[in-house]
Amino acid sequence: MLTPIGRLDKYASSENIFNRQMVARSLLDTLKEVSEDERDCIAVLERVTKLSEDSEPTVRAELMEQVPHLAMFCQENRPSIPHAFSKYLLPIVVRYLADQNNQVRKTSQAALLVLLEQELIERSDVESKVCPVLIDLTAPDSNDDVKTEAVAIMCKMASMVGKDITERLILPRFCEMCCDCRMFHVRKVCAANFGDICSVVGQEATEKMLLPRFFQLCYDNVWGVRKACAECFMAVSCATSQELRRTKLSALFINLISDPSRWVRQAAFQSLGPFISTFANPSSSGQYFKEEECTNTMNEKPSEVDESNSNHVLDMTNERISVGADIITEDSAASDSLVNFNVQLEAGTEDESEEASKDTVHQHDILSLCTLPLESTVDSDESKQNCPGTHAHILPDLETANSTISEQELYNSFHYWRTPIPDIDIDLELRQAENEMFGSERQRESSLGSPNITMATRKELEEMLENLEPHIDDPDVKAQVDVLTAALKASSLGTREESKLSFLNMEIGYHHDLTEPGKINCKISRDDSAPLISDSVECIQSTLGYIHNDSDLSTRSIFSHNEEKKSKVQDVVPQALLDQYLSMTDPSRAQTVDTEIAKHCAYSIPGVALTLGRQNWHCLRDTYETLAADMQWKVRRTLAFSIHELALILGDSLTAADLLPIFNGFLKDLDEVRIGVLKHLYDFLKLLQQDKRREYLYQLQEFLVTDNVRNWRFRAELAEQLILLLELYSARDIYDYLLPIAVNLCGDKISSVRWISYKLVSEMVKKLYQASNPVLLLDLLNKLVEQFCQSPKWSGRQTFVFICQALIEDDCLPMDQFAIHVMPHLLHLASDRVPNVRVLLAKTLKQTLLEKEYFLTSANSHQEAVEQTIMALQMDPDSDVKYFASIHPASTKHTDDALSTASSTY
């Protein structure tokens, strides 16, 4: 008999914890009971304030879960209880942000975000009550856990409170937290939310205040912070200018791609495609960065792409970024052999200290130096690598037809022990070209083999081995130590440098030395030092092979590789970024970075293609073909789901030349891959020319066959796509090729497939009627009658009734035409021996056919026939048939639909 407030007081003061929890849960109901009296509402809110001081954390957490609901009620009844939320509820939320109990803090944080999202907190309260508390919680002397959570809340609420409050109150403290030297968790939270802050404050504040902090975070000692930076890189890029994106962020991203931590590299490669897409030129791609956010004129998802209407070269500055290695040029006359070396040593440790980072840089310097004697195109004065940049590969920029003999051919054992070949006369011009090419190489090899460089190499290699020794348990580090040890042994041969150089010159002379006009010296020396030199060269070559990811360093392959690289040069994005993206299909990446790196490459390839434009499709063609032939079906499935978008970008000619063969391969792939093609079959085929499109009419039948007959969703999707495909083909093609598939689907064992198929058949009838081809229309209707109405199975006859129902509801035929060609066969089913067929017939006649104006306004012979049939059904011995034929059960429509569905299941 207690009043609501009396009951509230009784249980709120109970010593039983569960009673107080129940009070917290029932606060909203209590408030609704007393909502008509303003004083009682205020009294309830005062009890809420008292309950918030409960010593039991579970009670406080339960109360905080109810605060958003109470706030919503106060907002709806604001005239009667003004400022109730601001005075009573908001202080509780803010106070709980610093609660000692973790569950209470988490609940209050979630409640605060909900209140901000629902705009239940006034902007003045945000500035005066919420932000000051969060700033205090992020003070240097604050609790570590509370500080981390407060930073996360500040970042998440930035987009809700707007640019003005964020810049004035949140941004200064956020910049301070990015430099928190004591807590890496704080820096990690800042890095994870960096993109959101950038998108709120805009380009000017991002470039002036945030980017310097972002650069610091990208070079943080903790790999988790750098990984978070890699994940939000695209959002940061969207908030900067194109020039800064090209000159600064590209170099920074390359550094993340070559990070010593595998997890950082993995996150960077996942973000590489999205980052490249931020270089899109709006004039050609349709993408714009509006209000500091990446938007799309076609409102597509970020992972999808827009239609590219451009056929011209994107107007972008050709500004190549060379990261991780200096461009090394020859000072001699034979400077046409220009080679860029990007060297990286994959560090196998997850050490997150500055010292480890410096050691990595040191390793690049030393290994680049110790392998220089084998690189016949590198000048000793320019041999140092500046930073631990990109993954190992050689980027030849030379454009010469001359070819040289590889080091493997120079120094293999076959040449040492074979019978000397006789002198061979060669053309004088060839001799002069050989002399010009190799004259400077012998001079350079002699200078690079000096004992001073060998001693410097030896000393630095020893220092590197000492630095790696603590991490010898790591398998990757152990392999690295083995390689460095081999290089150290090779450099230890410096004491016999004179004999080595002598023999080396003899071997070079075997191929290159020109002693007589028109002759090449082909004599071979077999002194005792040959095996020693051979072993030394093989050791250094093994080191080089490890550093360069086992790439082929022969000059012959360099020339062939040069032609391939030339075809992948463009000026839209920095070439270094595109090269890294193209390398994602390299099998070695799956071992050193991520086993699913190819899937990430396939996922973002439409965005990259849109950015480059169709005029640069040649840069991606080989990569796309490699992905299409990948052994992992997930990679091919990803491509299958986006091939229609790529076709939209490339246009008719490129689609026919490069995508159709891959599309045909997907049609014969696993069901997991075929479903990607099937879901967008209409989108792809509509982009083809009419003759190409008709070729696929013969293959549509193949979609009825699946690896698993239980995969009914595959057939349902086929029916959906066939409805769309009707507009692409003529009436004759529909009748000859699509109708047999539709008839097959109408008899499917799964009702969901049949329902869609009924819609498909009705759309076919409408298409043929609109095509003004009465002959084909009559043939189609006769085929339906023959196939279903006269079927020996009751399920087939029931299917005919369902098709007629769809024809009537969708107005696929004029009622007079329907009454002439279809209705006689429909009414004949009134005498069917199966009650299910008669039940559905009664519903169709009573609820669908007689609702049409044709049968309501005009008296005709067809109307009389329908009424006679209904009277006969009203006398049916089956009670369900009699029920649906006797009255119009509009009040039981849902029951009717359920019965209809049940009766269609067999």
Side-chain angles (χ1 to χ4, degrees):
M1 301 300 293
L2 294 175
T3 63
I5 296 180
R7 187 170 60 250
L8 190 66
D9 290 335
K10 175 182 178 180
Y11 290 105
S13 59
S14 173
E15 296 182 357
N16 191 323
I17 297 175
F18 298 104
N19 287 340
R20 301 201 298 275
Q21 286 180 338
M22 289 302 299
V23 169
R25 293 194 189 103
S26 62
L27 281 173
L28 181 61
D29 295 332
T30 303
L31 198 59
K32 289 180 178 179
E33 290 181 23
V34 300
S35 60
E36 296 181 359
D37 191 334
E38 179 180 347
R39 288 179 298 177
D40 288 344
C41 289
I42 298 299
V44 172
L45 293 175
E46 289 175 349
R47 269 66 171 183
V48 172
T49 303
K50 183 179 179 180
L51 189 64
S52 67
E53 300 172 357
D54 196 288
S55 59
E56 177 59 37
T58 57
V59 177
R60 301 199 301 273
E62 189 67 47
L63 173 63
M64 188 49 55
E65 290 183 1
Q66 302 301 319
V67 166
H69 304 290
L70 296 175
M72 185 69 70
F73 178 83
C74 292
Q75 181 72 15
E76 294 173 354
N77 297 271
R78 190 164 184 169
S80 59
I81 44 176
H83 310 295
F85 172 75
S86 177
K87 183 177 180 180
Y88 296 101
L89 299 180
L90 184 58
I92 301 175
V93 178
V94 173
R95 187 172 75 250
Y96 279 5
L97 292 174
D99 197 274
Q100 295 180 351
N101 185 269
N102 182 58
Q103 181 184 2
V104 176
R105 290 199 310 273
K106 296 292 186 184
T107 309
S108 64
Q109 294 162 14
L112 178 61
L113 293 177
V114 170
L115 293 172
L116 288 171
E117 185 179 2
Q118 298 294 328
E119 298 181 353
L120 297 176
I121 306 180
E122 299 289 341
R123 291 184 63 84
S124 58
D125 290 335
V126 173
E127 295 187 35
S128 61
K129 297 182 179 180
V130 178
C131 288
V133 172
L134 292 175
I135 292 175
D136 291 341
L137 293 178
T138 56
D141 57 345
S142 179
N143 178 275
D144 293 341
D145 293 338
V146 174
K147 181 192 296 186
T148 304
E149 294 169 358
V151 173
I153 290 295
M154 290 172 60
C155 296
K156 293 177 181 178
M157 65 183 286
S159 60
M160 303 177 189
V161 300
K163 179 178 180 180
D164 179 57
I165 295 179
T166 301
E167 284 188 344
R168 287 191 293 107
L169 303 177
I170 297 178
L171 186 59
R173 181 50 60 93
F174 178 80
C175 293
E176 293 178 15
M177 294 297 98
C178 290
C179 303
D180 192 308
C181 300
R182 191 169 62 89
M183 285 287 297
F184 82 89
H185 296 288
V186 175
R187 302 196 304 274
K188 185 176 179 180
V189 171
C190 292
N193 296 277
F194 212 96
D196 297 334
I197 297 294
C198 291
S199 63
V200 173
V201 300
Q203 179 176 323
E204 182 179 355
T206 296
E207 297 180 355
K208 182 179 180 181
M209 300 183 64
L210 291 176
L211 271 191
R213 305 293 188 273
F214 188 66
F215 273 73
Q216 293 176 7
L217 293 174
C218 287
Y219 287 100
D220 198 274
N221 296 336
V222 181
W223 66 265
V225 178
R226 303 195 302 274
K227 177 176 179 289
C229 290
E231 291 171 344
C232 71
F233 214 93
M234 176 189 176
V236 176
S237 177
C238 291
T240 60
S241 64
Q242 185 73 269
E243 179 182 0
L244 192 61
R245 189 179 302 132
R246 176 177 290 273
T247 57
K248 301 295 184 182
L249 292 183
S250 297
L252 184 62
F253 194 84
I254 290 292
N255 188 66
L256 291 175
I257 280 184
S258 58
D259 194 273
S261 170
R262 176 170 182 163
W263 306 111
V264 179
R265 297 196 303 272
Q266 180 176 325
F269 272 108
Q270 291 182 20
S271 300
L272 178 55
F275 176 50
I276 289 177
S277 68
T278 62
F279 288 86
N281 189 336
S283 64
S284 60
S285 67
Q287 287 183 334
Y288 295 85
F289 299 119
K290 184 178 180 181
E291 297 180 358
E292 324 308 332
E293 295 181 359
C294 180
T295 61
N296 199 295
T297 57
M298 299 297 289
N299 297 323
E300 295 284 345
K301 296 180 180 178
S303 62
E304 298 178 357
V305 291
D306 294 328
E307 179 177 2
S308 174
N309 297 321
S310 168
N311 288 317
H312 60 278
V313 178
L314 296 178
D315 184 16
M316 307 289 271
T317 305
N318 183 15
E319 191 172 330
R320 242 180 248 180
I321 295 179
S322 176
V323 181
D326 287 336
I327 299 179
I328 307 169
T329 60
E330 296 184 8
D331 294 331
S332 63
S335 60
D336 53 341
S337 297
L338 175 62
V339 181
N340 293 347
F341 288 95
N342 292 331
V343 181
Q344 183 205 21
L345 178 63
E346 292 288 350
T349 176
E350 294 297 320
D351 190 357
E352 299 170 346
S353 65
E354 287 286 353
E355 182 179 355
S357 300
K358 294 178 180 178
D359 292 342
T360 307
V361 179
H362 202 194
Q363 294 168 15
H364 286 279
D365 295 343
I366 303 310
L367 286 175
S368 301
L369 187 62
C370 72
T371 56
L372 283 178
L374 288 179
E375 307 300 323
S376 60
T377 58
V378 180
D379 192 348
S380 61
D381 294 334
E382 298 175 281
S383 60
K384 287 190 177 182
Q385 303 294 324
N386 291 333
C387 61
T390 60
H391 284 263
H393 61 287
I394 296 180
L395 301 174
D397 290 333
L398 62 163
E399 297 182 5
T400 171
N402 299 327
S403 62
T404 59
I405 307 300
S406 68
E407 282 74 14
Q408 293 180 0
E409 289 180 309
L410 280 174
Y411 301 121
N412 61 32
S413 59
F414 172 72
H415 285 155
Y416 283 110
W417 306 113
R418 63 175 289 185
T419 302
I421 60 176
D423 293 345
I424 302 174
D425 291 335
I426 63 172
D427 185 76
L428 182 59
E429 294 180 1
L430 177 59
R431 176 181 62 79
Q432 292 174 348
E434 292 282 303
N435 188 25
E436 181 181 1
M437 180 175 295
F438 295 105
S440 61
E441 292 183 359
R442 294 198 303 272
Q443 178 183 358
R444 187 164 53 256
E445 286 173 353
S446 299
S447 64
L448 291 178
S450 63
N452 293 336
I453 293 180
T454 303
M455 294 304 294
T457 301
R458 180 180 179 82
K459 181 179 178 180
E460 292 172 337
L461 285 175
E462 290 175 350
E463 292 178 0
M464 278 174 46
L465 286 172
E466 292 177 2
N467 293 328
L468 292 175
E469 197 67 33
H471 311 286
I472 194 66
D473 294 336
D474 194 307
D476 294 334
V477 177
K478 186 176 185 304
Q480 182 177 328
V481 170
D482 294 340
V483 172
L484 295 177
T485 304
L488 184 60
K489 291 180 180 179
S491 66
S492 67
L493 299 175
T495 56
R496 288 168 288 209
E497 191 68 28
E498 293 299 328
S499 61
K500 287 186 207 174
L501 289 175
S502 174
F503 187 83
L504 185 62
N505 288 334
M506 278 190 265
E507 278 301 304
I508 295 176
Y510 164 67
H511 292 279
H512 314 126
D513 203 16
L514 306 178
T515 57
E516 298 179 10
K519 299 285 185 179
I520 291 183
N521 186 0
C522 297
K523 296 182 180 179
I524 299 177
S525 174
R526 299 187 187 179
D527 58 32
D528 296 335
S529 65
L532 182 62
I533 295 297
S534 178
D535 293 342
S536 172
V537 173
E538 289 175 0
C539 176
I540 298 179
Q541 283 178 338
S542 66
T543 303
L544 190 62
Y546 176 80
I547 299 171
H548 288 262
N549 292 332
D550 298 326
S551 61
D552 187 3
L553 297 179
S554 65
T555 309
R556 194 181 318 160
S557 64
I558 288 176
F559 275 94
S560 61
H561 192 57
N562 175 47
E563 297 301 323
E564 180 182 353
K565 283 292 181 181
K566 277 182 60 181
S567 66
K568 297 179 181 178
V569 173
Q570 43 72 50
D571 61 351
V572 180
V573 301
Q575 189 64 34
L577 289 178
L578 181 60
D579 291 340
Q580 291 293 342
Y581 179 79
L582 299 180
S583 71
M584 292 175 72
T585 57
D586 191 336
S588 62
R589 294 291 195 202
Q591 300 176 2
T592 59
V593 180
D594 185 6
T595 55
E596 293 192 350
I597 189 172
K599 181 182 176 182
H600 298 305
C601 179
Y603 182 80
S604 56
I605 202 167
V608 176
L610 177 65
T611 302
L612 295 179
R614 65 182 65 171
Q615 68 278 359
N616 289 315
W617 167 243
H618 61 275
C619 300
L620 296 175
R621 182 187 295 111
D622 294 343
T623 299
Y624 192 81
E625 292 175 354
T626 302
L627 291 171
D630 196 278
M631 294 295 294
Q632 301 182 68
W633 63 266
K634 292 182 179 180
V635 177
R636 304 194 304 275
R637 174 185 169 93
T638 304
L639 293 181
F641 270 94
S642 63
I643 193 171
H644 67 288
E645 297 287 1
L646 198 57
L648 194 64
I649 296 169
L650 298 183
D652 296 344
S653 59
L654 289 176
T655 296
D658 297 331
L659 296 188
L660 276 185
I662 295 175
F663 182 83
N664 294 336
F666 288 159
L667 292 178
K668 303 175 183 178
D669 212 314
L670 301 176
D671 285 351
E672 290 80 2
V673 179
R674 295 170 69 204
I675 188 63
V677 173
L678 181 58
K679 275 185 173 294
H680 302 285
L681 187 62
Y682 165 77
D683 297 324
F684 185 84
L685 293 182
K686 74 177 181 180
L687 301 175
L688 302 181
Q689 297 292 341
Q690 183 65 29
D691 56 339
K692 292 288 185 181
R693 189 185 303 154
R694 290 195 76 255
E695 294 177 2
Y696 289 94
L697 284 170
Y698 308 95
Q699 303 183 42
L700 293 176
Q701 191 82 21
E702 298 176 3
F703 282 111
L704 292 173
V705 181
T706 56
D707 298 336
N708 184 0
V709 294
R710 297 181 179 179
N711 189 6
W712 61 269
R713 291 181 177 85
F714 199 92
R715 301 189 296 275
E717 186 62 42
L718 174 60
E720 294 277 9
Q721 288 297 311
L722 289 179
I723 294 175
L724 299 175
L725 288 175
L726 293 178
E727 70 177 63
L728 301 181
Y729 294 103
S730 64
R732 171 55 66 179
D733 288 338
I734 292 175
Y735 181 83
D736 291 341
Y737 299 101
L738 302 186
L739 180 60
I741 302 176
V743 170
N744 189 305
L745 292 174
C746 285
D748 198 272
K749 294 182 178 180
I750 306 300
S751 61
S752 297
V753 179
R754 296 197 302 272
W755 280 112
I756 304 174
S757 302
Y758 303 151
K759 172 73 173 178
L760 172 60
V761 172
S762 66
E763 291 295 327
M764 286 183 174
V765 173
K766 179 187 291 186
K767 174 75 174 181
L768 266 61
Y769 174 77
Q770 294 174 350
S772 301
N773 194 332
V775 177
L776 281 181
L777 177 61
L778 290 178
D779 290 344
L780 188 152
L781 295 176
N782 292 334
K783 189 168 186 177
L784 293 178
V785 171
E786 178 183 353
Q787 188 76 27
F788 298 111
C789 185
Q790 300 175 2
S791 173
K793 295 183 178 180
W794 71 270
S795 57
R797 301 191 296 275
Q798 187 188 54
T799 296
F800 182 78
V801 181
F802 275 121
I803 293 175
C804 292
Q805 188 178 28
L807 292 175
I808 299 170
E809 291 177 347
D810 298 338
D811 294 323
C812 299
L813 280 176
M815 281 296 100
D816 57 341
Q817 295 291 322
F818 179 86
I820 295 174
H821 301 294
V822 180
M823 198 172 69
H825 305 285
L826 180 64
L827 299 180
H828 178 72
L829 295 176
S831 59
D832 196 277
R833 63 181 183 274
V834 179
N836 292 46
V837 178
R838 302 197 302 274
V839 167
L840 184 59
L841 175 63
K843 288 182 58 178
T844 300
L845 296 178
K846 195 72 175 178
Q847 300 179 13
T848 305
L849 187 64
L850 290 182
E851 293 294 325
K852 293 298 179 180
E853 185 177 359
Y854 179 80
F855 292 96
L856 293 176
T857 58
S858 60
N860 50 59
S861 58
H862 302 298
Q863 184 180 17
E864 295 177 0
V866 172
E867 292 177 351
Q868 292 177 1
T869 303
I870 291 178
M871 292 180 60
L873 293 173
Q874 290 174 352
M875 305 298 295
D876 196 275
D878 188 271
S879 59
D880 291 331
V881 177
K882 185 183 302 184
Y883 170 77
F884 285 107
S886 301
I887 60 175
H888 190 290
S891 59
T892 58
K893 183 172 178 54
H894 294 292
T895 306
D896 299 345
D897 293 340
L899 288 173
S900 174
T901 304
S903 65
S904 66
T905 305
Y906 49 87

